[in-house]
Amino acid sequence: MKGAEILIESFRKEKVDVVFGYPGGSVLDIFDIIYKSGLRFILTRHEQGAAHAADGYARATGKTGVCIATSGPGATNLVTGIATAYMDSVPMVAITGQVPTRMIGNDAFQEADITGITRPITKHNYLVKDIDELPRILKEAFYIANTGRPGPVLVDIPKDIQNASTDNKYPDSVEMRGYKPNYEGHIQQIKKAAEMIMAAQRPVIYAGGGVIISNGSEELTKLAGKAGIPVTTTLLGLGSFPSTDDLSLGMLGMHGTKYANLAVQDTDLLIAVGARFDDRVTGKVSEFAPHAKVIHIDIDPTSIRKNVNVDIPVVGDVKKVLAELIKNIKKCDTQPWLKKIAGWKKEYPLSYGKGGLKPQFVIEKIYELTRGDAIITTEVGQNQMWAAQFYKYTRPRTFLSSGGLGTMGYGLPAAMGAQAGCPGKLVFDIAGDGSIQMNIQELTTCVLNKLPVKIIILNNGCLGMVRQWQELFYGGRYSSTILNSKGPDGEKGITFCEENKCHPYLPDFIKLAGAFGAEGVRISKDSEVIPALKKAIESDKTYIIECIVDPEENVFPMVPAGASLNEMIESMA
């Protein structure tokens, strides 16, 4: 069997049902096999789109996402998507073509050392130099990607290896010395953690994306309910605990709720579950949760004590550890603590002002119409934070966003991947007018593959989050963040007009939707939101709703970078 055939056969054995990618000279042998394989292959319009689509597919389904690109620029175009998946622990196998083995290192046409380039951003990578090694390497690649702390694995296959032949001895299992993930938490550590929890007066659970990855949301909800412990989540932990539950504090950190941040700063026991204490959560580390002892549950031992001191570490699979913890715990006396938190919730709710179409209003209406039963992807920036704050996530794998890397251009291709993996679900991409333009070419991919993604563009005519920082910390000098045609000094620019109303925004997203084969509508009033959303939801087409929102709206509360969580900015006043 040829190397290209072994690759496609490995997809069948690993139950891969969809692959995203883009062809090129160094993968033509693979694509020739794909042509007659019956494999569902989605041709994206850019390799970055393929990587993000594989990522979105993986986050929405829990399976491993797969993407393919050719050598050189094709491979390097995957890099942003691979790094995004690496930072957020997303299982992905990326296949790249490479120049023939005899030409490696000779600066051959479209040659790039992709294994060297991706070494810091992959869980593992391989350059295949021997056809006899290919079946084992492919089996290991899928195993490594979706076991332990998941992550992307890259397999670089030279053109001559794709054409070489060998017996396909695809292994049934993997045995790798030095790689043996520990799923079972140490029982004595779990019992110590249970005792510390029951002794606490003001406990808080801090849940991260690891809860969702391990499918531990049900156990988390049981633990919180049984012990009476409030739960705050990271951005990637949204959906791990129902935000409609009375014990939910919403998100913490830079743009978290005020009551979540106050609770963390006042807690005497922080129970970190599948979270890594990143700087957007902790703010000033030395002043983070200053009165708290810390229990940290994580499958990755290198995450323990990486950023904060920990009193009781428990290394293991979150779902398994939480199940054991539930057995060892009783209801805690947290009523005074919960009463104090209820007071904060009443005093400091998330809110926004009046005047113009507000982005928060649009997101609230999406939730009202979908009742939380949609998959929401986001781009990065203000749109991402409003989507995190104002949509209520009640199920895992319903909020997909680039957390660690903060990748603009993530949302649309990720929505495409999620829709391909979950064809019966309603999928929204909540975008800004800046971020959507980074991978807007994937509209065509959605249309041609009948993926009815709904794209909400919150158009404020600027790079909103950067402009917000310039407004708060750089004296309002909007250097290169204004996207509308008037420019930063308000000079007259190019406009487009419709129904006697002229817009200074470029491009015309509705004409762009039409050019790509999608449908779209532009709105600018509160009264237009629900009719537009209903029309988009009822449509079986890829659909854009461009919302002309208040350009001055900012995301609050906000903890400035490097400040402590109780130094929140709550408005411009």
Side-chain angles (χ1 to χ4, degrees):
M1 187 176 281
K2 287 187 175 182
E5 294 171 314
I6 291 171
L7 173 66
I8 304 306
E9 187 61 20
S10 77
F11 291 165
R12 290 198 183 95
K13 289 183 179 295
E14 298 297 334
K15 302 188 185 326
V16 174
D17 55 10
V18 59
V19 175
F20 306 88
Y22 204 95
S26 291
V27 285
L28 280 178
D29 294 290
I30 294 172
F31 277 79
D32 194 48
I33 302 301
I34 288 174
Y35 182 74
K36 54 192 175 187
S37 69
L39 178 74
R40 186 183 182 194
F41 182 84
I42 293 183
L43 170 63
T44 60
R45 291 302 183 267
H46 192 288
E47 289 89 350
Q48 185 184 349
H52 290 324
D55 176 311
Y57 169 91
R59 297 195 206 212
T61 64
K63 303 174 187 175
T64 300
V66 179
C67 55
I68 298 177
T70 191
S71 63
T76 57
N77 281 343
L78 290 179
V79 167
T80 299
I82 292 172
T84 302
Y86 180 74
M87 291 291 281
D88 293 346
S89 306
V90 177
M92 177 192 293
V93 172
I95 305 295
T96 50
Q98 184 55 277
V99 301
T101 51
R102 69 180 186 284
M103 298 174 72
I104 292 176
N106 289 344
D107 295 332
F109 177 68
Q110 291 195 329
E111 182 191 359
D113 176 13
I114 195 62
T115 51
I117 291 168
T118 59
R119 188 160 294 124
I121 56 166
T122 50
K123 190 174 175 185
H124 197 57
N125 66 20
Y126 297 89
L127 169 60
V128 186
K129 293 182 177 178
D130 182 345
I131 181 63
D132 292 334
E133 295 291 305
L134 183 60
R136 174 187 62 79
I137 287 173
L138 291 169
K139 181 67 182 180
E140 288 181 1
F142 279 95
Y143 176 72
I144 294 169
N146 62 21
T147 54
R149 179 178 180 170
V153 177
L154 182 138
V155 183
D156 196 27
I157 310 177
K159 192 170 174 62
D160 55 321
I161 299 295
Q162 296 169 33
N163 254 318
S165 296
T166 189
D167 291 337
N168 184 16
K169 296 177 181 175
Y170 199 75
D172 293 325
S173 60
V174 172
E175 185 65 31
M176 297 178 70
R177 191 171 63 181
Y179 179 71
K180 297 186 185 301
N182 175 31
Y183 291 92
E184 307 294 338
H186 193 287
I187 191 63
Q188 293 305 321
Q189 290 293 93
I190 294 172
K191 286 182 177 177
K192 283 183 188 175
E195 290 170 5
M196 187 174 279
I197 290 170
M198 287 187 287
Q201 301 296 308
R202 304 185 305 280
V204 169
I205 293 174
Y206 150 46
V211 178
I212 295 171
I213 292 168
S214 75
N215 296 314
S217 297
E218 186 177 337
E219 286 75 11
L220 175 66
T221 306
K222 282 182 182 175
L223 174 68
K226 184 176 182 181
I229 304 175
V231 180
T232 183
T233 77
T234 65
L235 180 71
L236 296 186
L238 290 170
S240 65
F241 186 79
S243 54
T244 50
D245 193 294
D246 287 343
L247 290 171
S248 173
L249 297 170
M251 188 172 70
L252 81 163
M254 179 173 279
H255 290 294
T257 62
K258 183 168 182 176
Y259 41 88
N261 287 345
L262 290 175
V264 169
Q265 290 303 90
D266 197 32
T267 183
D268 62 351
L269 177 63
L270 192 66
I271 307 155
V273 187
R276 61 187 176 89
F277 295 90
D278 76 277
D279 59 284
R280 283 295 192 268
V281 162
T282 62
K284 190 175 184 179
V285 176
S286 61
E287 296 180 10
F288 176 69
H291 312 295
K293 293 186 176 180
V294 176
I295 297 169
H296 192 177
I297 302 166
D298 204 289
I299 197 165
D300 181 0
T302 67
S303 284
I304 307 285
R305 297 195 175 96
K306 189 171 187 177
N307 295 321
V308 301
N309 290 325
V310 173
D311 296 280
I312 299 181
V314 185
V315 176
D317 175 66
V318 162
K319 182 181 178 73
K320 289 177 178 288
V321 172
L322 291 180
E324 285 299 321
L325 203 50
I326 291 167
K327 293 177 190 173
N328 287 277
I329 211 160
K330 298 175 183 173
K331 185 167 180 60
C332 307
D333 181 18
T334 56
Q335 282 308 310
W337 177 228
L338 296 179
K339 187 177 178 182
K340 187 174 186 179
I341 289 174
W344 284 334
K345 283 185 173 182
K346 189 174 180 181
E347 190 173 357
Y348 307 116
L350 285 171
S351 62
Y352 55 92
K354 305 286 184 184
L357 179 56
K358 296 291 186 181
Q360 300 95 326
F361 177 82
V362 176
I363 292 166
E364 284 179 337
K365 295 306 167 190
I366 297 172
Y367 171 73
E368 285 179 21
L369 287 179
T370 62
R371 304 305 302 169
D373 193 26
I375 295 173
I376 305 293
T377 73
T378 76
E379 306 291 338
V380 164
Q382 289 180 318
N383 63 86
Q384 179 188 34
M385 292 300 116
W386 285 318
Q389 291 177 333
F390 288 90
Y391 191 93
K392 294 181 176 63
Y393 301 91
T394 57
R395 299 181 182 87
R397 304 193 184 283
T398 56
F399 177 77
L400 317 182
S401 192
S402 172
L405 198 65
T407 307
M408 290 178 71
Y410 170 83
L412 175 55
M416 187 168 75
Q419 189 78 82
C422 307
K425 297 287 288 186
L426 194 55
V427 180
F428 281 86
D429 171 34
I430 295 177
D433 49 314
S435 197
I436 191 68
Q437 294 186 59
M438 288 205 169
N439 272 312
I440 200 164
Q441 75 284 347
E442 301 306 339
L443 272 175
T444 296
T445 312
C446 291
V447 170
L448 291 179
N449 289 278
K450 301 187 186 320
L451 300 171
V453 172
K454 316 305 176 192
I455 302 129
I456 309 297
I457 300 177
L458 303 173
N459 192 347
N460 56 9
C462 63
L463 301 175
M465 187 60 86
V466 188
R467 183 202 56 76
Q468 178 171 332
W469 281 54
Q470 289 173 333
E471 183 177 4
L472 289 171
F473 310 119
Y474 292 87
R477 295 181 293 280
Y478 300 141
S479 177
S480 301
T481 48
I482 305 303
L483 298 178
N484 70 40
S485 62
K486 288 184 176 178
D489 298 323
E491 69 270 22
K492 187 176 180 181
I494 301 168
T495 61
F496 65 88
C497 301
E498 57 171 9
E499 297 178 352
N500 300 320
K501 188 184 293 182
C502 291
H503 300 275
Y505 303 117
L506 289 177
D508 181 335
F509 284 110
I510 306 309
K511 284 184 179 174
L512 202 58
F516 280 116
E519 296 182 342
V521 64
R522 179 178 299 109
I523 61 175
S524 58
K525 299 175 185 172
D526 289 0
S527 60
E528 296 172 321
V529 174
I530 287 181
L533 285 172
K534 284 183 175 176
K535 192 171 180 181
I537 290 169
E538 289 165 2
S539 172
D540 60 358
K541 305 287 177 55
T542 307
Y543 206 103
I544 284 180
I545 301 177
E546 181 188 6
C547 307
I548 306 297
V549 298
D550 180 358
E552 302 296 326
E553 191 66 17
N554 286 326
V555 181
F556 292 115
M558 177 181 185
V559 178
S564 66
L565 292 190
N566 50 16
E567 296 180 78
M568 285 168 273
I569 302 172
E570 297 178 64
S571 72
M572 290 302 297

